[in-house]
Amino acid sequence: MNEENTEHMSTDELQTMLVTLFGELPEPQLSRDSTALLCIDVQYMDAHPDYGLGARAKALGLQDKIGYYWSRLDELVLPNMQRVLAAAREAGIEVIHVRVASQTADGRDSTLRYKSLGLKTPRDTKEAQILPEVAPLDDEMVISKVTSSVFNSTNIDRVLRNLGIKNLIIMGVVTNGCVESSTRSAAELDYGTIVVEDATAAMAAQLHEHSILSMSYKDAVIKSSDQVVLALESLK
């Protein structure tokens, strides 16, 4: 075997190889009663340049290094999230918001890993608030977590099953962190899962691209916001 020729493949070659090897995931069969939209961690802690991680990056002189992330959020992710949210609300499917937020005022219930990363995010702080562009409306649920995967530190699986949910449409930040972790958990619990590629973002382009590729052959069907909006409109 010539390892020199197989060690590095282009993204397209790798994707083709993975689909050939594993096949394609089945398309989730969306319906109004069995589908929920999951919006992950679009909060001041990690989605606003003046708070949380954004403020830390500025203090460390790294703001230019993650300029791509803020631009993608402002120009692509937030507008697309708004479009998908509007379509989901119009279609009458369940909209659930997820955020990193501890249950205590001092964050003492956060995991050791989140404490070490400076992500304990106490409740009722600015960093725990969801950005107004994609904030919850009316009776939409907000689930607080202290792990990357929302399934690991909350009762969301029970909530979803109580609601009769079998399919999840997932969007938010960051792609290679809480989005991917939550998507993998959902797939392993046998939810039909769609990730909205242009309504997610990571700190660097390669992190986003690698995460999307990793999820695409084993965890989720990857779709654009245009495709998801059309699918939601068809549920009316």
PDB file of all heavy atoms in Angstrom, residues 99 101-102 122-126 128-129:
ATOM      1  N   ARG A  99     -28.522  26.955  25.761  1.00  0.00           N
ATOM      2  CA  ARG A  99     -27.462  27.901  26.120  1.00  0.00           C
ATOM      3  C   ARG A  99     -26.556  27.284  27.172  1.00  0.00           C
ATOM      4  O   ARG A  99     -26.958  26.371  27.903  1.00  0.00           O
ATOM      5  CB  ARG A  99     -28.055  29.202  26.657  1.00  0.00           C
ATOM      6  CG  ARG A  99     -28.837  29.001  27.951  1.00  0.00           C
ATOM      7  CD  ARG A  99     -29.310  30.303  28.550  1.00  0.00           C
ATOM      8  NE  ARG A  99     -30.011  30.086  29.823  1.00  0.00           N
ATOM      9  CZ  ARG A  99     -30.306  31.029  30.693  1.00  0.00           C
ATOM     10  NH1 ARG A  99     -29.959  32.294  30.449  1.00  0.00           N
ATOM     11  NH2 ARG A  99     -30.936  30.745  31.807  1.00  0.00           N
ATOM     12  N   ALA A 101     -25.248  27.822  30.612  1.00  0.00           N
ATOM     13  CA  ALA A 101     -25.586  28.628  31.788  1.00  0.00           C
ATOM     14  C   ALA A 101     -25.731  27.697  32.979  1.00  0.00           C
ATOM     15  O   ALA A 101     -26.441  26.695  32.912  1.00  0.00           O
ATOM     16  CB  ALA A 101     -26.883  29.404  31.569  1.00  0.00           C
ATOM     17  N   SER A 102     -25.040  28.030  34.052  1.00  0.00           N
ATOM     18  CA  SER A 102     -25.145  27.219  35.259  1.00  0.00           C
ATOM     19  C   SER A 102     -26.452  27.522  35.975  1.00  0.00           C
ATOM     20  O   SER A 102     -27.121  28.516  35.705  1.00  0.00           O
ATOM     21  CB  SER A 102     -23.959  27.506  36.191  1.00  0.00           C
ATOM     22  OG  SER A 102     -23.999  28.859  36.608  1.00  0.00           O
ATOM     23  N   PRO A 122     -22.313  31.897  34.768  1.00  0.00           N
ATOM     24  CA  PRO A 122     -23.397  31.881  35.763  1.00  0.00           C
ATOM     25  C   PRO A 122     -24.704  32.397  35.194  1.00  0.00           C
ATOM     26  O   PRO A 122     -24.728  33.221  34.284  1.00  0.00           O
ATOM     27  CB  PRO A 122     -22.876  32.808  36.865  1.00  0.00           C
ATOM     28  CG  PRO A 122     -21.393  32.793  36.715  1.00  0.00           C
ATOM     29  CD  PRO A 122     -21.156  32.671  35.233  1.00  0.00           C
ATOM     30  N   ARG A 123     -25.792  31.906  35.742  1.00  0.00           N
ATOM     31  CA  ARG A 123     -27.126  32.323  35.319  1.00  0.00           C
ATOM     32  C   ARG A 123     -27.292  33.829  35.542  1.00  0.00           C
ATOM     33  O   ARG A 123     -26.605  34.430  36.356  1.00  0.00           O
ATOM     34  CB  ARG A 123     -28.184  31.571  36.111  1.00  0.00           C
ATOM     35  CG  ARG A 123     -28.181  31.974  37.578  1.00  0.00           C
ATOM     36  CD  ARG A 123     -29.228  31.260  38.387  1.00  0.00           C
ATOM     37  NE  ARG A 123     -29.319  31.879  39.714  1.00  0.00           N
ATOM     38  CZ  ARG A 123     -29.912  31.312  40.759  1.00  0.00           C
ATOM     39  NH1 ARG A 123     -30.463  30.127  40.644  1.00  0.00           N
ATOM     40  NH2 ARG A 123     -29.960  31.949  41.912  1.00  0.00           N
ATOM     41  N   ASP A 124     -28.186  34.427  34.807  1.00  0.00           N
ATOM     42  CA  ASP A 124     -28.558  35.829  34.968  1.00  0.00           C
ATOM     43  C   ASP A 124     -27.419  36.798  34.671  1.00  0.00           C
ATOM     44  O   ASP A 124     -27.488  37.973  35.045  1.00  0.00           O
ATOM     45  CB  ASP A 124     -29.100  36.097  36.382  1.00  0.00           C
ATOM     46  CG  ASP A 124     -30.318  35.248  36.704  1.00  0.00           C
ATOM     47  OD1 ASP A 124     -31.091  34.964  35.771  1.00  0.00           O
ATOM     48  OD2 ASP A 124     -30.485  34.868  37.867  1.00  0.00           O
ATOM     49  N   THR A 125     -26.359  36.319  33.998  1.00  0.00           N
ATOM     50  CA  THR A 125     -25.313  37.226  33.541  1.00  0.00           C
ATOM     51  C   THR A 125     -25.568  37.587  32.081  1.00  0.00           C
ATOM     52  O   THR A 125     -26.344  36.916  31.383  1.00  0.00           O
ATOM     53  CB  THR A 125     -23.920  36.582  33.654  1.00  0.00           C
ATOM     54  OG1 THR A 125     -23.891  35.396  32.835  1.00  0.00           O
ATOM     55  CG2 THR A 125     -23.601  36.213  35.100  1.00  0.00           C
ATOM     56  N   LYS A 126     -24.920  38.627  31.626  1.00  0.00           N
ATOM     57  CA  LYS A 126     -25.054  39.021  30.221  1.00  0.00           C
ATOM     58  C   LYS A 126     -24.612  37.880  29.304  1.00  0.00           C
ATOM     59  O   LYS A 126     -25.244  37.604  28.281  1.00  0.00           O
ATOM     60  CB  LYS A 126     -24.215  40.275  29.956  1.00  0.00           C
ATOM     61  CG  LYS A 126     -24.389  40.853  28.558  1.00  0.00           C
ATOM     62  CD  LYS A 126     -25.724  41.552  28.394  1.00  0.00           C
ATOM     63  CE  LYS A 126     -25.791  42.329  27.094  1.00  0.00           C
ATOM     64  NZ  LYS A 126     -27.072  43.040  26.916  1.00  0.00           N
ATOM     65  N   ALA A 128     -24.858  34.799  29.612  1.00  0.00           N
ATOM     66  CA  ALA A 128     -25.829  33.701  29.525  1.00  0.00           C
ATOM     67  C   ALA A 128     -27.035  34.049  28.666  1.00  0.00           C
ATOM     68  O   ALA A 128     -27.828  33.167  28.325  1.00  0.00           O
ATOM     69  CB  ALA A 128     -26.291  33.303  30.925  1.00  0.00           C
ATOM     70  N   GLN A 129     -27.185  35.321  28.305  1.00  0.00           N
ATOM     71  CA  GLN A 129     -28.354  35.744  27.527  1.00  0.00           C
ATOM     72  C   GLN A 129     -28.194  35.392  26.044  1.00  0.00           C
ATOM     73  O   GLN A 129     -27.117  35.541  25.470  1.00  0.00           O
ATOM     74  CB  GLN A 129     -28.567  37.251  27.658  1.00  0.00           C
ATOM     75  CG  GLN A 129     -28.930  37.714  29.052  1.00  0.00           C
ATOM     76  CD  GLN A 129     -29.081  39.225  29.119  1.00  0.00           C
ATOM     77  OE1 GLN A 129     -29.217  39.900  28.107  1.00  0.00           O
ATOM     78  NE2 GLN A 129     -29.050  39.758  30.325  1.00  0.00           N
TER      79      GLN A 129
END
